[in-house]
């Protein structure tokens, strides 16, 4: 029965989507685990909010730059082979993070990890676009987008539990080990993806990236990515420090925020993917967009409260932020031609990463840390809503 399932077109598609979700799970976990460990890392390395913002944004800066470079050669290489090489180097860079003896070594390791993470993300979306027909791509993208939720439900709480019981270093050992297992799955299961032969020189490929970046019909894709990423990363890096310092929960309780938010988001992301295919992206987008503004206001102005009340607010925030992104990504992935797809996705992920890094650094300068609280987080909330 399993062999018959794997031979059917739909069955194969589900296996490929599961593999790409696994890659994205550990890729995302490597990045986002920094954010809930913020209070721990700020204390361990004795760093300020600006230094932590630099640490959190370093991954996105290198990721954005390399995504831009990736877009110049993405369509010249067979996708599976490129994915395997980059995934292997990503695993090594994650282990470097675990071995970091001080803040600056750790910062350098995060930059290196961002280089390979920056290639993984557009590669995943390009592979999904190559292997999954457009009429079923919304559901596939919903599953990939749900990897953030899966990361929140399983990865972040487990990573935090490992960090609480052992050390923050062991969380990175866990990521490296898990990514190694996914590597084997990609190696033995993912098919070779034959692309049209591309004999363009590097100079002409760079010219094509410039052409893509200046193509008017792609502007809505790039501007949407900038606005949504910017609005999120004004808040994400200080989501956990604010919960600990201002709302009053303990570091050991942070895992429940991600567990609750991620658990609900898994189902909502699936539903968003389903309705994106059924009733269209714009209609699916509208409701979560409106509610995301409301929950952003509630969280960024929250004062001391019980954990249960905080979970209601934080879960609403996570769910709506994620749900509004699924229909947008379907619209975006439907824009480029097959010949431009890899380069387009690379440039798009560069825009996303650099927007996230810029927003994180700006938030680091806006927020002021005192011995008892973080000030001006509400200002970043208003900026995010705008």
């Amino acid at each position: 029965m399993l062999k018959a399932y794997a031979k059917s077109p739909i069955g194969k598609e589900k296996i490929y989507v599961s593999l790409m979700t696994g890659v994205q799970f550990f890729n995302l976990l490597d990045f986002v685990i920094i954010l809930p460990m913020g209070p721990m890392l700020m204390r361990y390395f004795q760093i300020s909010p600006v230094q932590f913002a630099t640490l959190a944004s370093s991954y996105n800066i290198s990721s954005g730059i390399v995504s831009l470079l990736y877009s110049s050669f993405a369509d010249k290489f067979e996708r599976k082979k490129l994915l395997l090489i980059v995934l292997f180097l990503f695993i090594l860079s994650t282990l470097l993070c675990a071995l970091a003896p001080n803040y600056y070594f750790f910062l350098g390791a995060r930059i290196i990890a961002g280089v390979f993470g920056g290639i993984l993300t557009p590669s995943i979306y390009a592979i999904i676009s190559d292997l999954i027909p457009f009429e079923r791509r919304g559901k596939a993208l919903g599953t990939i987008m749900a990897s953030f939720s899966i990361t929140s439900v399983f990865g972040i709480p487990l990573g935090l539990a490992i960090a609480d019981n052992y050390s923050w270093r062991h969380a990175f050992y866990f990521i490296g080990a898990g990514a190694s297992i996914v590597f084997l799955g990609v190696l033995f299961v993912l098919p070779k993806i034959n692309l049209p032969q591309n004999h363009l020189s590097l100079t002409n490929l760079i010219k094509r990236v410039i052409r893509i970046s200046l193509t008017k019909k792609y502007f809505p894709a790039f501007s949407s990515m900038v606005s949504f990423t910017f609005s999120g990363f004004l808040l994400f890096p200080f989501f956990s420090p604010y919960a600990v310092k201002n709302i009053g929960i303990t570091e050991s309780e942070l895992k429940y925020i991600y567990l609750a938010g991620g658990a609900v988001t898994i189902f909502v992301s699936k539903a968003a993917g389903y309705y994106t295919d059924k009733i269209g992206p714009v209609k699916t987008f509208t409701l979560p967009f409106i509610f995301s503004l409301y929950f952003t206001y509630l969280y960024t102005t929250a004062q001391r409260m019980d954990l249960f009340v905080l979970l209601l607010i934080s879960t609403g925030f996570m769910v709506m932020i994620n749900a509004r992104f699924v229909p947008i990504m379907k619209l975006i992935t439907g824009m480029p031609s097959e010949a431009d797809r890899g380069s387009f996705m690379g440039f798009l992920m560069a825009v996303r990463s650099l927007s996230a890094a810029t927003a994180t650094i700006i938030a680091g300068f806006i927020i002021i840390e005192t011995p008892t609280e973080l000030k001006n987080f509400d200002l970043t909330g208003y900026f995010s809503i705008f």
Side-chain angles (χ1 to χ4, degrees):
M1 184 177 293
L2 184 59
K3 288 184 178 180
Y5 176 80
K7 288 181 179 179
S8 70
I10 301 297
K12 286 182 178 180
E13 288 176 14
K14 289 183 178 180
I15 291 173
Y16 302 152
V17 171
S18 297
L19 273 177
M20 293 302 98
T21 302
V23 175
Q24 188 70 337
F25 171 84
F26 288 105
N27 183 25
L28 281 171
L29 183 58
D30 182 68
F31 166 60
V32 301
I33 196 66
I34 290 289
L35 307 183
M37 287 200 303
M40 188 183 302
L41 293 173
M42 290 173 73
R43 186 180 64 255
Y44 182 88
F45 290 119
Q46 294 293 299
I47 55 177
S48 68
V50 173
Q51 287 176 302
F52 176 68
T54 302
L55 183 63
S57 64
S58 62
Y59 186 102
N60 275 317
I61 292 173
S62 60
S63 176
I65 293 172
V66 79
S67 291
L68 190 58
L69 296 174
Y70 164 88
S71 64
S72 68
F73 63 79
D75 297 315
K76 285 186 73 71
F77 298 96
E78 196 275 314
R79 299 212 200 278
K80 176 181 177 179
K81 184 180 294 184
L82 180 63
L83 180 64
L84 286 171
I85 293 171
V86 173
L87 185 55
F88 176 75
L89 295 173
F90 167 79
I91 292 167
L92 292 183
S93 65
T94 299
L95 296 179
L96 280 179
C97 294
L99 298 171
N102 55 55
Y103 170 74
Y104 293 103
F105 188 100
F106 191 47
L107 179 62
R110 297 306 297 158
I111 291 172
I112 295 171
V115 168
F116 302 116
I119 299 176
L120 284 178
T121 298
S123 295
I124 290 167
Y125 284 117
I127 288 171
I128 289 296
S129 297
D130 288 329
L131 296 178
I132 310 298
F134 185 78
E135 61 270 17
R136 293 193 293 274
R137 198 176 299 158
K139 186 176 180 180
L141 287 170
T143 302
I144 298 295
M145 299 298 292
S147 60
F148 180 79
S149 309
I150 298 169
T151 302
S152 300
V153 172
F154 300 109
I156 292 179
L158 181 56
L160 289 176
I162 292 171
D164 287 338
N165 289 282
Y166 297 96
S167 74
W168 59 267
R169 300 178 189 279
H170 285 79
F172 288 100
Y173 289 132
F174 163 69
I175 294 169
S180 298
I181 296 172
V182 175
F183 176 90
L184 295 176
V186 173
L187 177 64
F188 292 112
V189 178
L190 193 72
K192 182 178 180 181
I193 301 172
N194 294 311
L195 299 174
Q197 289 297 311
N198 190 332
H199 301 291
L200 293 177
S201 66
L202 180 60
T203 300
N204 287 330
L205 285 168
I206 293 174
K207 288 181 179 178
R208 185 172 72 176
V209 173
I210 295 173
R211 173 182 59 78
I212 288 172
S213 69
L214 297 177
T215 300
K216 287 185 178 180
K217 73 174 184 177
Y218 295 157
F219 284 180
F222 301 144
S223 61
S224 295
M225 185 61 74
V226 168
S227 62
F228 284 113
T229 303
F230 208 93
S231 68
F233 278 87
L234 282 168
L235 309 177
F236 295 153
F238 294 96
F239 195 81
S240 295
Y242 183 78
V244 172
K245 281 218 162 190
N246 292 59
I247 299 177
I249 70 169
T250 65
E251 289 183 15
S252 62
E253 291 174 326
L254 285 173
K255 64 177 75 73
Y256 300 120
I257 291 179
Y258 294 91
L259 182 63
V264 178
T265 305
I266 288 176
F267 298 103
V268 174
S269 292
K270 290 276 191 178
Y274 171 79
Y275 283 107
T276 295
D277 290 336
K278 188 174 180 63
I279 65 174
V282 177
K283 290 181 179 179
T284 305
F285 163 81
T286 303
L287 195 61
F289 167 71
I290 294 172
F291 276 106
S292 70
L293 304 184
Y294 175 66
F295 281 106
T296 295
Y297 170 77
L298 288 181
Y299 190 87
T300 56
T301 58
Q303 299 300 319
R304 294 192 175 269
M305 61 179 64
D306 292 336
L307 178 62
F308 177 76
V309 179
L310 174 62
L311 290 179
L312 294 177
I313 297 174
S314 62
T315 298
F317 173 82
M318 290 182 180
V319 167
M320 295 306 161
I321 290 290
N322 193 277
R324 72 185 188 182
F325 200 53
V326 174
I328 289 296
M329 280 305 296
K330 177 169 181 177
L331 286 173
I332 288 174
T333 59
M335 286 185 176
S337 64
E338 182 179 353
D340 284 346
R341 188 173 291 149
S343 298
F344 174 87
M345 292 306 299
F347 186 81
L348 185 73
M349 292 302 107
V351 168
R352 180 185 182 184
S353 295
L354 294 175
S355 298
T358 303
T360 300
I361 292 172
I362 289 175
F365 280 102
I366 292 175
I367 294 171
I368 300 172
E369 183 183 27
T370 71
T372 58
E373 64 178 351
L374 295 180
K375 292 185 175 181
N376 297 338
F377 193 58
D378 58 333
L379 295 181
T380 65
Y382 296 134
F383 195 7
S384 174
I385 290 171
F386 172 75

